[in-house]
Amino acid sequence: MTYDVIIIGAGVSGAASARELSKYKLNVCVLEKAEDVCAGTSKANSAIIHAGFDAPEGSLMAKLNVRGNEMMDELSKDLDIPFKRNGSLVVCIHKEELDGLKDLYNRGVANGVKGLKILSREEVLELEPNLSDNVEGALYAPTGGIVCPFILNIAMAENANVNGVDFRFNTEVETLKRKDDGLWHIRTNNGEYTARYVVNAAGVHADIFHNMVSAEKIHITPRRGDYCLLDKEMGSHVTHTIFPQPTKLGKGVLVSPTVHGNLIVGPTAIDITDKEATATTQEGIDDLISKASLHVKDLPVARKVITSFAGLRAHEDHHEFIIKELPDAPHFIDCAGIESPGLTSSPAIGEMVAGIIADIEKPEKKENWNGKRKGIVDPKVMTLEERNELIKKDPAYGNIICRCESISEGEILDAIHRPLGARSLDGVKRRTRAGMGRCQAGFCSPRVMEIINRELGIPMEKITKSGGSSNIVLERTKAMKGDE
Ligand SMILES: Cc1cc2nc3c(=O)[nH]c(=O)nc-3n(C[C@H](O)[C@H](O)[C@H](O)COP(=O)(O)OP(=O)(O)OC[C@H]3O[C@@H](n4cnc5c(N)ncnc54)[C@H](O)[C@@H]3O)c2cc1C
């Protein structure tokens, strides 16, 4: 089958583009090399919905940041995803930094960020008593927010899928070329695909495909950011997202509550060459802890860290989003250099990508497009009566599988059986939070595996943590009762 549009990559950029394109009468397919959506940078970031004061004035980054931020209220309602405007503070601990705050304020105003305010030392400490005693003032941005990056990505993809977009997982694009028939021929490890348009949303790998089709080369450096995630006991240590002053390398090490009630500390900014190297280092973790402690006091990192992880920013040399049809590659739309604030901007990125194709193609809109999605039912937010009623109807909601996060079998069954359902432990984890708590899946992994085995018929030895060769168990060491 020849598709109208093929999107490479099912991160937030690809998923948002797919959802926007699903409004039109177009055959769209997303090719993703991993076994699930949200397998690249979109799964490992700060999860902040940036206000938009940091991006250079007049840049595409600034425009899409502010637009994406504005879209988030309606989108989060439509897709039933967690989102909170907790506000952000850029904190100064030296008097000489105060001029930098004014510059940020002015840039924010020029970028169209609403409600910015410079706060005195007393005003900031009233908002955040756990800030450093050295605090001198802060820039307050009430429109800053926090989101769950997994659910945002998954929800946009799910909704695109329900509206007709195909997703092909474990499908790695190897080469692509536009032939005389006017079609893009895309070779993958899973056969050849053809399409009239290609959207290159391959994250840190986007330069590879851009350079394959265009004479004007770009270069993306993977810029690693390490993080520590702290236990929920620490979730209210600060209530706003606390930033230091930004530097050339990025927004600096932040401390923020997460939308699920943990505390996140990070990221570092380390340029590397390996586009897959997401292992954290002790050096990186030590660095981020010492930097975070300059602005926030009493961070109990030694006792309360439940996990650490790293993500790779797709840093293009010109530090700007590249979203356009390439002049020397007709119908090839780049969505490259999507570093921070890419998560925030993602709904606006989707809008822009779809707009570029719609302007050329003038496709008809679908009359029956449905932009609404219902999330996985969470018994924890119900009243006792509602919960009892739910368990009466479906006892699986009364069977707790993940003790740390209190996740029931009912939620896991929903995660597996809904559109683009989970097939691995991480797939279940990102959709339900089973395994995201204090014990980091030590207790619930075997139980989630049993459910995947029973529901999808995947043998225990073939169940993976996150696709590929990440199998959990290799073989049986002894026969079980009932075996032949
Ligand atoms: C440390 C850090 C902190 C950040 N913090 C924030 C923040 O707080 N707020 C914010 O707004 N933004 C933040 N960002 C930026 C944000 O996370 C990214 O901009 C966004 O996730 C990029 O999404 P994407 O879809 O473009 O790329 P990705 O999520 O990387 O998706 C690309 C996809 O393409 C797939 N792919 C690659 N090659 C192929 C191939 N050959 N064939 C098929 N598929 C392929 C990958 O598997 C992947 O799934 C942060 C980033 C980092 C690293």
Side-chain angles (χ1 to χ4, degrees):
M1 168 178 181
T2 293
Y3 284 97
D4 293 313
V5 186
I6 278 187
I7 300 170
I8 309 173
V12 284
S13 302
S17 302
R19 179 170 183 267
E20 285 294 330
L21 284 164
S22 74
K23 292 178 177 169
Y24 297 99
K25 291 184 180 168
L26 293 169
N27 291 319
V28 181
C29 178
V30 181
L31 304 180
E32 169 54 58
K33 69 175 176 171
E35 54 91 43
D36 199 353
V37 301
C38 198
T41 301
S42 300
K43 79 173 187 314
N45 50 62
S46 313
I48 308 302
I49 296 306
H50 291 292
F53 50 77
D54 183 51
E57 194 183 325
S59 64
L60 183 60
M61 251 182 197
K63 186 176 144 199
L64 298 186
N65 182 342
V66 174
R67 170 82 185 131
N69 179 305
E70 281 168 4
M71 291 169 80
M72 213 46 86
D73 294 292
E74 197 180 329
L75 186 72
S76 62
K77 279 194 203 106
D78 283 351
L79 297 180
D80 197 14
I81 61 175
F83 166 57
K84 187 175 173 193
R85 285 199 191 276
N86 65 323
S88 60
L89 290 165
V90 181
V91 171
C92 280
I93 50 167
H94 300 292
K95 277 218 162 71
E96 54 274 26
E97 288 173 354
L98 290 170
D99 281 347
L101 274 198
K102 282 187 202 132
D103 292 346
L104 271 187
Y105 173 89
N106 290 334
R107 201 188 304 163
V109 171
N111 288 347
V113 181
K114 299 206 178 82
L116 288 175
K117 215 174 149 194
I118 292 189
L119 304 183
S120 67
R121 168 184 162 80
E122 292 68 32
E123 287 172 318
V124 196
L125 286 173
E126 200 172 313
L127 281 181
E128 289 291 356
N130 283 326
L131 288 187
S132 154
D133 294 334
N134 299 325
V135 66
E136 294 285 353
L139 175 68
Y140 174 51
T143 56
I146 46 181
V147 72
C148 172
F150 319 122
I151 300 294
L152 171 65
N153 195 157
I154 290 165
M156 291 192 293
E158 241 182 73
N159 191 237
N161 180 246
V162 166
N163 283 295
V165 174
D166 289 340
F167 282 75
R168 302 267 182 267
F169 296 111
N170 299 309
T171 303
E172 179 163 5
V173 175
E174 292 165 349
T175 57
L176 70 166
K177 197 169 188 256
R178 194 165 192 259
K179 295 200 176 161
D180 292 342
D181 55 8
L183 295 176
W184 285 97
H185 290 247
I186 301 158
R187 206 184 71 203
T188 77
N189 62 342
N190 248 337
E192 184 167 300
Y193 290 77
T194 46
R196 295 193 300 118
Y197 289 81
V198 170
V199 175
N200 173 21
V204 282
H205 300 268
D207 55 348
I208 297 171
F209 299 116
H210 171 108
N211 294 340
M212 227 175 246
V213 306
S214 175
E216 214 164 285
K217 305 300 179 195
I218 62 169
H219 175 245
I220 289 176
T221 304
R223 181 169 287 171
R224 200 186 76 223
D226 306 61
Y227 289 93
C228 285
L229 190 75
L230 275 66
D231 191 80
K232 282 185 174 171
E233 251 179 55
M234 297 307 303
S236 53
H237 195 62
V238 293
T239 55
H240 300 80
T241 301
I242 311 298
F243 293 101
Q245 293 244 2
T247 67
K248 259 192 188 163
L249 282 179
K251 297 175 188 68
V253 173
L254 60 82
V255 179
S256 179
T258 71
V259 86
H260 296 291
N262 296 87
L263 192 75
I264 190 166
V265 183
T268 52
I270 301 161
D271 286 350
I272 58 174
T273 48
D274 183 345
K275 289 176 187 271
E276 304 289 343
T278 53
T280 52
T281 62
Q282 187 61 51
E283 221 184 333
I285 300 290
D286 291 344
D287 180 44
L288 73 88
I289 290 170
S290 72
K291 285 188 173 137
S293 305
L294 292 175
H295 297 86
V296 179
K297 64 184 176 194
D298 302 330
L299 273 177
V301 267
R303 290 168 289 118
K304 298 293 175 193
V305 172
I306 61 169
T307 188
S308 58
F309 62 92
L312 303 179
R313 302 167 183 88
H315 174 70
E316 205 282 321
D317 291 353
H318 299 91
H319 184 54
E320 174 62 309
F321 292 164
I322 305 171
I323 305 174
K324 60 179 182 190
E325 185 192 24
L326 298 187
D328 58 348
H331 293 190
F332 183 97
I333 289 99
D334 245 353
C335 194
I338 312 298
E339 55 184 310
S340 186
L343 189 72
T344 311
S345 311
S346 57
I349 290 175
E351 226 179 34
M352 186 169 174
V353 167
I356 293 171
I357 295 175
D359 277 352
I360 309 171
E361 194 62 19
K362 313 266 183 278
E364 259 183 75
K365 285 216 166 174
K366 291 177 187 159
E367 298 87 40
N368 58 350
W369 186 77
N370 180 3
K372 301 235 190 300
R373 158 203 183 257
K374 213 62 219 116
I376 292 174
V377 167
D378 180 359
K380 290 188 294 305
V381 300
M382 294 179 169
T383 63
L384 202 55
E385 290 75 40
E386 287 167 343
R387 210 187 293 190
N388 283 341
E389 202 48 46
L390 176 71
I391 294 170
K392 219 188 285 169
K393 266 198 228 136
D394 186 347
Y397 285 96
N399 182 17
I400 296 298
I401 302 294
C402 167
R403 289 180 185 175
C404 303
E405 293 290 309
S406 202
I407 308 297
S408 65
E409 184 181 356
E411 291 157 81
I412 295 172
L413 291 175
D414 188 352
I416 291 173
H417 292 300
R418 59 176 38 229
L420 303 183
R423 300 178 62 80
S424 64
L425 284 186
D426 279 359
V428 169
K429 179 168 88 172
R430 294 198 190 108
R431 286 166 179 80
T432 64
R433 292 189 58 74
M436 288 229 183
R438 201 174 275 178
C439 91
Q440 287 289 299
F443 174 76
C444 64
S445 287
R447 304 189 67 199
V448 175
M449 286 173 71
E450 280 163 13
I451 299 173
I452 294 176
N453 166 256
R454 184 188 76 210
E455 296 298 315
L456 298 174
I458 304 176
M460 289 297 256
E461 309 82 70
K462 296 249 158 68
I463 294 173
T464 62
K465 179 171 173 350
S466 54
S469 56
S470 62
N471 304 53
I472 319 288
V473 292
L474 296 178
E475 58 186 33
R476 289 188 175 198
T477 52
K478 58 184 177 191
M480 303 279 286
K481 206 172 158 191
D483 282 354
E484 289 287 294

